[in-house]
């Protein structure tokens, strides 16, 4: 996409406002808010360290939770400032206001290589409205805008997009990687290029299927959305499995497009089925596997792909030179129904000769839970943003970054 990054400009001595995604989960313990998972903070460390090492004045800006334009102590970024201090070994000045005299004063006293964190930008009512006054006020604190918040790039807010109208705008190192792997690498992928899509609903993923049908050699469809395809292709009955009549024409159009383009479209041939499951309690009733292309009996539903499907998909994954995966193969939150998803995670990780890209959301959890996160090429940090980028949509936060 040829967007400018922090590596393309001079940052030494410059005030850089860096939009990061510090939207971390917090828990209240003994009256204090404690960070329960700091992955998102760690993901931005390469950018922060790069800027520190190059003598920039690093002004970090993020949202946390959904305070809807109101100050709320439980959604303050102060605990993040303390935690960041321990991660980078540099002190982090915390500005309890996001804009105005307080941060301006702090920034005026910053030396090269120092770091400050602004209070939650969503305490400002203008943020989610992409309000120009707020965008200008944020821009007024800095000389360069750095966007490293890929997970928020599908939103046109003041700090993710609007601010870029008033400052030179470049990507951080995380944003740069996300664009490389979820966009650039897929334009001219090394072939065979295998796309694996799963998840619940056909209508949620159809835009991704359609776009990647233009690029892929093979598309593998699993998860809840596969049942509509199985009904159409294999003529089986589905019992209580996830299915909507209105998904049929959508799935049929994808099948037709795959045929017209010579793309191999693979769907499951068997399923693990159950007679009951309670998602909230993570409990499942009796289970069994269907035979190959066997119908699913009334009162039963498919909650995972079966061993024959894993074999079929694994053979394709093993031949790939580029793999992208988005969406689980079954209800992987329930241990009994997670085997198919974990098996696919392992097959992807086992292909060390391919570029293997995990495109956000639940597949990321699956790869981590399967213990193979360090064996894949890239794991996206975005959920909605990854999906939109894979759909070929222009993300406001990416569009706002200056071209090279
Ligand atoms: P998505 O957000 O569209 O990627 O969907 C992820 C969700 O799909 C997960 O919560 C899975 O539990 C769910 N899912 C996957 N396979 C099935 C299935 N066979 N039946 C019901 N839900 C499923």
């Amino acid at each position: 996409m040829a967007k400018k990054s922090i590596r393309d400009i001079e940052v030494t001595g410059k005030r850089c406002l860096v939009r990061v995604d510090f939207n971390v989960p917090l828990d209240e313990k003994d009256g204090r808010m404690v960070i329960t998972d700091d992955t998102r903070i760690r993901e931005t460390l390469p950018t922060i360290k790069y800027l520190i090492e190059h003598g920039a004045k690093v002004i970090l800006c993020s949202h946390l939770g959904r305070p809807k334009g109101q100050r709320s102590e439980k959604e303050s970024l102060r605990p993040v400032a303390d935690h960041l201090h321990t991660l980078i070994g540099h002190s982090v000045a915390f500005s309890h206001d996001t804009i105005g005299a307080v941060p301006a004063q702090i920034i005026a006293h910053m030396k090269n290589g120092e770091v400050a964190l602004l209070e939650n930008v969503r305490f400002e009512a203008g943020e989610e409205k992409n309000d120009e006054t707020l965008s200008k006020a944020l821009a007024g604190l800095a000389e360069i805008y750095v966007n490293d918040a890929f997970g928020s790039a599908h939103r046109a807010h003041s700090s993710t997009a609007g601010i870029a109208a008033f400052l030179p705008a470049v990507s951080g190192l995380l944003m740069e990687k996300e664009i490389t792997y979820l966009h650039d690498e897929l334009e001219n992928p090394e072939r065979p290029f295998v796309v694996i899509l799963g998840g619940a609903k056909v209508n949620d993923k159809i835009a991704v299927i359609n776009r990647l049908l233009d690029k892929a050699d093979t598309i593998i469809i699993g998860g809840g959305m596969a049942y509509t395809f199985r009904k159409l292709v294999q003529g089986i009955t589905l019992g209580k499995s996830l299915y909507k009549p209105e998904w049929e024409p959508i799935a049929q159009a994808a099948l037709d497009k795959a045929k017209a383009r010579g793309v191999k479209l693979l769907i499951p041939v068997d399923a693990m089925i159950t007679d009951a499951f309670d998602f909230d309690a993570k409990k499942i009733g009796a289970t069994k596997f269907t035979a190959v292309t066997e119908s699913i009996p009334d009162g039963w539903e498919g909650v995972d792909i079966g061993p024959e499907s894993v074999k079929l998909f694994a053979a394709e994954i093993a031949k790939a030179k580029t793999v992208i995966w988005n969406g689980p193969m079954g209800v992987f939150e329930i241990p009994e129904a997670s085997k198919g998803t974990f098996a696919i995670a392992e097959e992807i990780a086992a292909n060390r000769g391919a570029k293997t890209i995990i495109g956000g959301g639940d597949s990321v959890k699956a790869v981590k839970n399967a213990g193979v996160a360090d064996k894949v090429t890239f794991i996206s940090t975005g959920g909605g943003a990854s999906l939109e980028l894979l759909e070929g949509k222009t993300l406001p936060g990416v569009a706002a970054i200056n071209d090279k």
Side-chain angles (χ1 to χ4, degrees):
M1 219 183 275
K3 291 286 178 183
K4 261 192 195 163
S5 93
I6 47 175
R7 292 183 294 149
D8 298 316
I9 56 162
E10 182 58 68
V11 296
T12 308
K14 297 273 171 52
R15 285 174 282 129
C16 297
L17 188 139
V18 190
R19 178 55 159 101
V20 286
D21 181 1
F22 285 168
N23 184 27
V24 289
L26 294 170
D27 228 2
E28 198 167 351
K29 278 206 188 98
D30 307 325
R32 280 177 60 236
M33 300 307 285
V34 180
I35 298 164
T36 55
D37 179 354
D38 69 353
T39 309
R40 287 191 171 144
I41 303 175
R42 289 177 185 274
E43 302 278 8
T44 62
L45 293 181
T47 297
I48 296 171
K49 285 184 178 157
Y50 177 97
L51 291 170
I52 293 172
E53 279 160 18
H54 287 76
K57 295 170 183 168
V58 189
I59 307 155
L60 302 167
C61 171
S62 176
H63 78 281
L64 175 66
R66 299 175 179 275
K68 300 254 174 248
Q70 302 277 332
R71 191 173 269 277
S72 118
E73 278 317 308
K74 288 197 171 154
E75 281 153 321
S76 170
L77 280 168
R78 186 180 285 279
V80 175
D82 298 338
H83 189 64
L84 188 59
H85 178 181
T86 60
L87 288 179
I88 61 176
H90 282 253
S91 65
V92 176
F94 181 69
S95 167
H96 67 259
D97 282 346
T98 314
I99 50 168
V102 173
Q105 189 75 22
I106 291 171
I107 292 163
H109 288 98
M110 281 174 87
K111 295 194 189 79
N112 293 358
E114 288 189 343
V115 181
L117 173 63
L118 306 176
E119 183 54 290
N120 191 344
V121 69
R122 285 198 190 163
F123 288 179
E124 295 294 325
E127 165 65 357
E128 292 184 71
K129 299 184 188 123
N130 197 8
D131 174 67
E132 195 178 282
T133 311
L134 176 60
S135 301
K136 274 188 187 155
L138 288 167
L141 299 172
E143 294 158 282
I144 293 170
Y145 169 63
V146 179
N147 192 352
D148 212 26
F150 177 71
S152 304
H154 56 319
R155 315 225 183 269
H157 293 169
S158 282
S159 70
T160 61
I163 180 175
F166 307 103
L167 288 176
V170 297
S171 66
L173 302 177
L174 175 63
M175 176 70 88
E176 191 181 30
K177 260 210 236 168
E178 295 276 3
I179 297 171
T180 301
Y181 285 109
L182 294 184
H183 180 275
D184 302 351
E185 288 283 344
L186 309 184
E187 287 303 297
N188 288 302
E190 226 188 302
R191 297 184 180 279
F193 175 26
V194 175
V195 175
I196 307 158
L197 295 171
K201 299 174 190 155
V202 176
N203 52 329
D204 281 354
K205 298 282 161 81
I206 191 62
V208 178
I209 298 176
N210 270 328
R211 162 122 195 293
L212 293 177
L213 271 169
D214 290 332
K215 319 245 174 232
D217 299 295
T218 302
I219 294 202
I220 293 172
I221 292 182
M225 68 174 173
Y227 297 97
T228 308
F229 287 88
R230 293 195 64 192
K231 178 171 186 287
L232 289 168
V233 176
Q234 298 161 357
I236 61 167
T237 60
L238 302 177
K240 295 192 290 183
S241 305
L242 211 52
Y243 160 83
K244 284 192 181 157
E246 62 262 35
W247 292 345
E248 273 197 34
I250 302 175
Q252 187 59 55
L255 288 164
D256 294 344
K257 185 170 173 182
K259 200 167 175 196
R261 297 196 167 262
V263 176
K264 197 192 267 188
L265 196 149
L266 291 181
I267 57 174
V269 290
D270 60 351
M272 189 182 91
I273 60 174
T274 182
D275 59 356
F277 87 89
D278 180 339
F279 188 85
D280 294 328
K282 305 271 178 284
K283 279 206 176 121
I284 203 157
T287 62
K288 57 185 177 185
F289 289 109
T290 59
V292 170
T293 66
E294 183 194 1
S295 277
I296 297 168
D298 286 349
W300 291 70
E301 65 189 292
V303 286
D304 195 9
I305 55 173
E308 292 305 318
S309 306
V310 171
K311 258 191 233 162
L312 178 73
F313 297 171
E316 214 59 34
I317 293 166
K319 284 187 276 181
K321 282 277 186 285
T322 309
V323 178
I324 182 151
W325 180 28
N326 180 292
M329 297 290 107
V331 189
F332 79 113
E333 297 91 339
I334 301 179
E336 292 91 334
S338 66
K339 291 193 186 75
T341 299
F342 287 168
I344 294 304
E346 278 158 20
E347 295 297 339
I348 293 171
N351 184 344
R352 302 308 291 267
K355 266 190 195 127
T356 47
I357 304 164
I358 312 303
D362 283 333
S363 336
V364 174
K365 275 186 221 151
V367 165
K368 288 186 177 162
N369 293 347
V372 295
D374 57 342
K375 296 198 177 72
V376 297
T377 310
F378 180 68
I379 299 180
S380 175
T381 58
S386 319
L387 212 54
E388 289 193 25
L389 197 54
L390 291 176
E391 285 170 11
K393 278 196 191 151
T394 303
L395 309 189
V398 175
I401 299 166
N402 301 151
D403 291 327
K404 262 194 190 166

